[in-house]
Amino acid sequence: MHVALGGTFDPVHDGHRALFERAFELGDLTVGLTSNELAPKTRQVDRYVKPFTDRRYSLIAELEPLAEAHDREFEIHPLKKPTGIATEPGFDAIVVSPETQTGAERINEIRQERGLDPLTVEIVEHVYADDGKRISSTRIVRGEIDRHGRLTPHRSGRSSTRPADDCGAE
């Protein structure tokens, strides 16, 4: 089975890890990683998003041991539009979180319009932080929690603009 999964993954956290685990249980994985242009448009909160190359590097570091543990392969492709790679042939399933389920439904509509079989939609439930709220990249960059959902009351968050020392290259 070939599985699609998309996101910004900045920073990667235990909620993402749950998505990756499920994807690798199903098959080989292709990740659509939002491009520098698309990433800010997909945010519900205006915040700085690290450059594609930095996010890709972090994503590879997270995916390699999981792929090896499941004896699976993975690829990462730039995602230039929200429906991205999953509307193309060659995929059997898509792994999503509850809030992106409607996106998966839209992808299946596009696939049907193109004469492609619909994808099996695998919904992975949220992972919760120590405070009972959902782990999210936004909460992490605000300094509320770490990537595992542990509370970090003494940590400051990330600025909403690019740091001066970040070249922003793709």
Side-chain angles (χ1 to χ4, degrees):
M1 184 174 279
H2 201 123
V3 183
L5 174 64
T8 302
F9 307 112
D10 178 42
V12 177
H13 55 70
D14 285 358
H16 295 138
R17 188 175 174 92
L19 295 169
F20 304 150
E21 286 277 359
R22 182 61 184 138
F24 282 127
E25 287 171 4
L26 296 170
D28 293 329
L29 175 61
T30 298
V31 177
L33 180 61
T34 56
S35 66
N36 286 337
E37 297 75 29
L38 180 61
K41 297 174 186 172
T42 63
R43 304 294 83 211
Q44 295 174 358
V45 175
D46 185 30
R47 67 171 172 86
Y48 167 70
V49 175
K50 288 184 178 177
F52 179 90
T53 52
D54 293 351
R55 291 181 288 120
R56 184 177 188 282
Y57 180 80
S58 296
L59 189 56
I60 290 170
E62 191 72 30
L63 293 174
E64 280 181 338
L66 292 172
E68 186 176 323
H70 290 276
D71 194 26
R72 302 289 189 183
E73 306 264 331
F74 72 90
E75 297 178 352
I76 299 172
H77 294 273
L79 193 61
K80 297 184 187 277
K81 58 184 181 178
T83 54
I85 60 172
T87 58
E88 299 170 10
F91 294 100
D92 305 298
I94 186 167
V95 174
V96 297
S97 57
E99 72 273 7
T100 58
Q101 180 180 357
T102 56
E105 292 166 0
R106 177 64 188 133
I107 286 166
N108 274 339
E109 289 171 5
I110 293 169
R111 289 179 64 85
Q112 183 178 7
E113 291 166 5
R114 294 180 178 177
L116 299 172
D117 290 334
L119 300 175
T120 300
V121 178
E122 290 285 327
I123 302 166
V124 176
E125 292 302 320
H126 293 126
V127 176
Y128 293 92
D130 290 347
D131 62 1
K133 297 177 186 174
R134 176 171 77 86
I135 294 176
S136 73
S137 296
T138 299
R139 292 190 69 206
I140 295 166
V141 300
R142 284 183 179 158
E144 298 173 26
I145 59 173
D146 68 11
R147 67 180 297 224
H148 303 293
R150 295 180 292 241
L151 300 178
T152 55
H154 302 294
R155 194 174 138 241
S156 61
R158 184 189 301 171
S159 170
S160 62
T161 59
R162 188 178 90 202
D165 65 345
D166 187 343
C167 65
E170 186 160 341

